[in-house]
Amino acid sequence: MLNKIIKKILRTIGLLLLLVVVIFVAAVVNKPTEQEKKQKEAKELADKKLDELRNACEAYVRKSVINKSTLDMSAFGSNRWLGNDGKFYATQEFSAKNKFGLEQKFRAECIEDKDGKTDYRLLQMNGS
């Protein structure tokens, strides 16, 4: 009887030890490399810059509209991306009434280059 209990205890200790070894090996194997850490940091920085650019683009739209009370920014017409040329891009579609009370649709295009210089443009969209 004592022999069975000792065997069960040893088997349990062996399984726990095996579990600890497997967890340790998994942690070592899944540890991110320096390159992966740098890529993650670069992506987080790019995401932050893109969010800032999108916010600046929206602020530019709000400042540029004549009839601010008629401003309607499209939730689905907002995009942001990092271009292959290293520039940051953000667009925002919106509509607002002009000084004659006619609604017009626009797209704001905001581009920030590698040096931090930002270019803002408002383009009128034709059609519906």
Side-chain angles (χ1 to χ4, degrees):
M1 173 113 162
L2 185 60
N3 211 7
K4 286 184 179 183
I5 294 173
I6 292 174
K7 283 184 181 181
K8 282 187 177 186
I9 291 172
L10 289 176
R11 191 176 313 143
T12 304
I13 291 172
L15 288 174
L16 288 174
L17 185 60
L18 179 63
L19 179 63
V20 168
V21 169
V22 168
I23 291 172
F24 177 75
V25 169
V28 169
V29 169
N30 290 325
K31 182 179 178 186
T33 63
E34 287 300 316
Q35 182 181 1
E36 290 172 334
K37 287 180 185 177
K38 287 180 182 179
Q39 287 174 343
K40 182 180 177 185
E41 288 173 3
K43 184 182 181 331
E44 288 172 352
L45 180 62
D47 284 344
K48 181 180 177 186
K49 297 261 301 170
L50 287 167
D51 284 341
E52 290 171 357
L53 180 61
R54 182 179 53 206
N55 291 338
C57 199
E58 288 180 6
Y60 179 75
V61 167
R62 284 187 178 87
K63 182 178 81 171
S64 301
V65 171
I66 294 171
N67 291 324
K68 294 174 182 10
S69 64
T70 64
L71 175 62
D72 182 24
M73 284 202 238
S74 171
F76 299 108
S78 176
N79 291 309
R80 64 184 185 83
W81 69 95
L82 175 61
N84 292 335
D85 55 1
K87 294 180 182 179
F88 296 93
Y89 295 87
T91 61
Q92 175 65 56
E93 294 180 5
F94 66 97
S95 64
K97 290 184 179 179
N98 63 16
K99 60 185 174 183
F100 302 110
L102 299 173
E103 185 174 273
Q104 294 178 301
K105 293 184 180 185
F106 295 91
R107 181 176 55 246
E109 294 180 351
C110 307
I111 304 167
E112 184 177 327
D113 65 17
K114 297 174 191 174
D115 300 328
K117 182 182 173 193
T118 308
D119 182 29
Y120 299 100
R121 294 183 214 146
L122 294 179
L123 304 171
Q124 188 171 352
M125 298 172 58
N126 295 326
S128 52

